[in-house]
Structure formats: structure tokens, C-alpha cells
Amino acid sequence: MKKWLVLAGLLLVIAIASLMYIGTKQPITQPIDAGLTYEVVSTPEAMQKGLGGRSEVPHNFGMLFVFAVPNTYRIWMKDMLVPIDILWLAEDGTIIGIEESVATSTYPQTYAPPKPVRLVLELRAGEARLKNLHVGSRILLPTELQK
């Protein structure tokens, strides 16, 4: 009888642990086609300049920074003429951090992701809100970056 009681208790613990694990898994979401046209930059010179010097950032346009390795890359507003939204992305396009409507006057302040990333997306200010993009949204990346 004691064996059965121990076995039943062990099975109950395993069942509860399994349910807790299942409840913490992130749901798999399909990427949102945000209707963006991307300018992909990956050279140090292009990344340092970013959208700097541009008098306007078009609607449905994003500059996607593709770094070689994940890190806490900091974004600044040096030489920026217009405010922007900054989105930090996981490899699958999931947004892990957003800074909305970052003003040009914030330079030399820098903005960093909540954890190391390889992908950073800059959009015109307000575009993330307009497209209902938020932390946890997964956006469709350019074909050459899709995994």
C-alpha cells in the first residue's frame, strides 16, 4: 500500500510539473507582414550613419541593421533630422524591445536593447504604433534573413 501511495504522489508531482511547463511555453506565432520595404545595412559605415542626414523617413520604410553577432548595440540620434521608432528584434523577427518616437534632441543619449540582439529596425516615428507593433509581435523579415 505504501508503494502505491508513493507512486501516486510521484505521478501527481510529474503531472503538475508538466502542466506548469506547458503553461510557460511561448505560443508559436506567424509573422506579421507589416508591409515594410527594408533597406538592409551591415557595414560599419552604413550602420554608424543609419538614417542620419535624411530629412524624411517614408511611410512603410524601415532601415534594418544586421550585425554579425548578437550584442547590446546602442543606437543614437547623431545627425538625425527626424524622430524615429527603434525596434530590437530576435532572429525570427520577434520584437523584444521598442523605443517609440525618439526625438532628435536626445543625442548624445543612446538606446540599448533589453538583451543582446543582431537585428535592429529603425522606422519613422509613430510607425510602430500605426502598425500595432509591440513587444512580442513577430514581423516578417526580408527573405534573405528569414529562418
Side-chain angles (χ1 to χ4, degrees), residues 78-100:
K78 183 179 181 189
D79 299 325
M80 291 294 292
L81 303 176
V82 294
I84 59 170
D85 292 343
I86 304 168
L87 290 72
W88 288 276
L89 308 175
E91 293 291 323
D92 68 352
T94 300
I95 300 168
I96 65 163
I98 297 180
E99 288 289 339
E100 292 187 60

Side-chain angles (χ1 to χ4, degrees), residues 69-142:
V69 296
N71 204 336
T72 52
Y73 299 103
R74 303 185 76 77
I75 303 297
W76 62 10
M77 297 299 285
K78 183 179 181 189
D79 299 325
M80 291 294 292
L81 303 176
V82 294
I84 59 170
D85 292 343
I86 304 168
L87 290 72
W88 288 276
L89 308 175
E91 293 291 323
D92 68 352
T94 300
I95 300 168
I96 65 163
I98 297 180
E99 288 289 339
E100 292 187 60
S101 298
V102 179
T104 59
S105 61
T106 61
Y107 180 77
Q109 179 180 345
T110 60
Y111 300 87
K115 64 182 186 179
V117 296
R118 211 173 61 83
L119 305 171
V120 180
L121 178 62
E122 293 182 350
L123 304 171
R124 77 187 215 170
E127 196 80 7
R129 185 178 303 262
L130 180 68
K131 294 186 174 300
N132 195 28
L133 299 175
H134 53 276
V135 171
S137 296
R138 184 173 165 213
I139 60 173
L140 190 62
L141 295 172

Side-chain angles (χ1 to χ4, degrees), residues 52-75:
R54 298 186 189 195
S55 59
E56 98 175 53
V57 177
H59 174 62
N60 289 330
F61 172 83
M63 179 172 278
L64 183 63
F65 295 72
V66 181
F67 294 93
V69 296
N71 204 336
T72 52
Y73 299 103
R74 303 185 76 77
I75 303 297

